[in-house]
Amino acid sequence: MNKYLLICTLVFSSFATQASNLINDENIKNQKNCFTHIFKDYATWRGFIKDKRQKRIKSEEKLSKGMAFFDSTFGEEKFNQYKNNLSCITFKYNVDGLEVSGYVIKPQSNEKKLPVLIYNRGGNGNYGSVVFGSMMHNLFPIANEGFVIIGSQYRLSRTKGVLLDEFGGKDVNDVIALLDYIPKIEGADSQRIGMYGASRGGMQTFLALKKAKNVKAVATIAGNSDLLKGLEYRPAMEKVYKHRIPEYESKKIAELEKRSVLKWVNDLSPNVPILLLHGTNDKRVSVNHSIDLAAALSKNNIPHKLVLYPDDNHGLIHNKEKANKELVSWFREYL
């Protein structure tokens, strides 16, 4: 799935054009409409993807199967529904002297202010960025249920050879900074804020929660709760940690424990309920991360709900609609 989402959205940021501002703040720059250029309609988007694939796929049968998968994942009817119902922009904002990219998705028309969800993406560096395909697949369905969604791409670039994404270090400031702009979003209720994240975004969610006192409910999808123990499940992640986390070689245990909510679960507020969603056949982030965290939450009397999807994978591809319903129900109840 990730391969197709990436292919069909490589040029998302470069094709957006100026949109009417959804965030009324002079510190927010370059607000641009998501539904423009190759994303102005489904036929144009699909045609672009087909042309791109034809250059590398010589088999007509494979090309036909790939486009059929594209249509089943997205589809013209679904695309038009979201384009008609939702407003979507990308924007730039400043954190710690760095320019960071973000996005806002919200229903176009509403008579009352809507609850806000801060979404924390997975991946690291440029990998896992929230592009148009992942917006449509993961975020549009939630926003369409009556939520304003705002998210950060995290600090992605490097400066003078220094990597800026610290995988749960200073990049958490990029999430916290969004809270200042929520009151400036048209139609957003700054008194009803939730936060959720997928994969690495689960870690970001709990790290941000330590500083964000006005978040009323959270959720994680395939989140990691113990990075050190997680290396037993997936040793290859150590390459990411070495690459991203400052002073990793000399402070490995301390730095991983800083990023592991299971090590400081007793610091979490008993007034912020937590939803944990996870597939039991997740090869990237073991389901044990959520099972162990749920046990710790119970021990510390922190309200929570654990939902496991038998035999499903990291992206919950077989239970996407069910997982979305869980998220919507959770945040409707607590926001």
Side-chain angles (χ1 to χ4, degrees):
M1 174 62 70
N2 289 340
K3 174 177 68 177
Y4 291 104
L5 294 180
L6 179 60
I7 290 173
C8 65
T9 53
L10 283 173
V11 294
F12 176 43
S13 60
S14 63
F15 276 100
T17 57
Q18 196 68 33
S20 58
N21 292 347
L22 294 185
I23 309 176
N24 299 310
D25 191 298
E26 62 182 9
N27 295 310
I28 296 293
K29 308 297 183 183
N30 301 108
Q31 297 190 51
K32 297 178 179 180
N33 186 4
C34 302
F35 293 101
T36 51
H37 290 292
I38 67 166
F39 306 107
K40 67 181 180 180
D41 56 55
Y42 190 74
T44 303
W45 182 25
R46 190 183 191 281
F48 173 84
I49 298 306
K50 185 175 181 180
D51 289 344
K52 193 172 184 66
R53 288 181 177 176
Q54 280 180 323
K55 295 178 181 179
R56 64 181 183 81
I57 300 177
K58 304 306 178 183
S59 167
E60 284 296 325
E61 182 180 358
K62 287 185 178 179
L63 178 62
S64 179
K65 286 183 178 179
M67 294 312 299
F69 182 84
F70 179 86
D71 288 330
S72 66
T73 302
F74 302 106
E76 185 171 12
E77 182 179 353
K78 192 185 298 183
F79 178 96
N80 290 336
Q81 178 190 26
Y82 291 143
K83 184 179 179 182
N84 291 332
N85 292 352
L86 300 174
S87 295
C88 175
I89 63 160
T90 60
F91 63 88
K92 304 288 186 182
Y93 65 117
N94 189 282
V95 187
D96 300 334
L98 302 170
E99 186 179 74
V100 182
S101 297
Y103 51 89
V104 169
I105 307 161
K106 62 181 289 293
Q108 287 187 13
S109 59
N110 54 280
E111 297 179 356
K112 58 182 180 180
K113 288 191 174 183
L114 299 175
V116 182
L117 301 179
I118 298 174
Y119 176 71
N120 296 318
R121 71 170 183 86
N124 68 94
N126 289 301
Y127 176 74
S129 296
V130 179
V131 288
F132 187 87
S134 54
M135 280 185 180
M136 183 168 170
H137 188 62
N138 299 316
L139 303 182
F140 287 179
I142 306 299
N144 201 46
E145 293 294 329
F147 294 92
V148 176
I149 296 179
I150 185 171
S152 174
Q153 303 284 17
Y154 314 143
R155 49 193 73 186
L156 300 179
S157 60
R158 63 173 69 216
T159 177
K160 296 181 180 179
V162 177
L163 292 169
L164 299 178
D165 180 1
E166 298 179 355
F167 203 80
K170 293 179 181 177
D171 45 276
V172 177
N173 293 341
D174 304 340
V175 178
I176 300 298
L178 296 176
L179 289 162
D180 292 335
Y181 300 114
I182 289 175
K184 309 294 182 62
I185 300 174
E186 179 185 347
D189 188 344
S190 60
Q191 301 303 309
R192 292 189 291 163
I193 300 174
M195 185 182 294
Y196 74 114
S199 193
R200 174 258 182 95
M203 173 188 69
Q204 299 286 106
T205 295
F206 288 118
L207 288 170
L209 195 60
K210 295 176 76 173
K211 300 179 180 180
K213 304 304 181 183
N214 53 339
V215 174
K216 298 185 180 300
V218 302
T220 66
I221 306 165
N224 45 3
S225 64
D226 188 336
L227 275 65
L228 186 61
K229 189 174 181 180
L231 288 175
E232 298 175 15
Y233 309 130
R234 192 184 177 194
M237 280 302 295
E238 187 142 42
K239 293 180 181 179
V240 175
Y241 300 159
K242 287 180 180 179
H243 186 58
R244 294 290 175 192
I245 299 176
E247 300 183 276
Y248 180 78
E249 299 286 1
S250 60
K251 299 180 180 179
K252 173 179 176 177
I253 294 178
E255 290 301 321
L256 293 184
E257 288 187 345
K258 277 184 190 177
R259 293 161 169 80
S260 301
V261 63
L262 206 57
K263 299 300 181 182
W264 33 270
V265 66
N266 57 309
D267 292 338
L268 296 176
S269 170
N271 299 317
V272 180
I274 299 167
L275 173 65
L276 307 173
L277 307 179
H278 219 126
T280 63
N281 195 33
D282 191 334
K283 303 299 185 183
R284 296 187 183 183
V285 178
S286 170
V287 67
N288 291 324
H289 282 277
S290 290
I291 292 174
D292 293 345
L293 179 55
L297 294 173
S298 293
K299 185 177 180 180
N300 286 272
N301 297 313
I302 296 173
H304 67 282
K305 180 180 181 181
L306 172 65
V307 182
L308 302 181
Y309 297 98
D311 301 320
D312 212 342
N313 60 14
H314 190 60
L316 299 181
I317 190 171
H318 302 300
N319 291 277
K320 194 65 179 176
E321 289 188 11
K322 290 181 180 179
N324 284 345
K325 288 180 180 178
E326 285 285 353
L327 288 168
V328 169
S329 176
W330 186 259
F331 288 120
R332 279 181 176 166
E333 181 175 356
Y334 292 106
L335 296 185

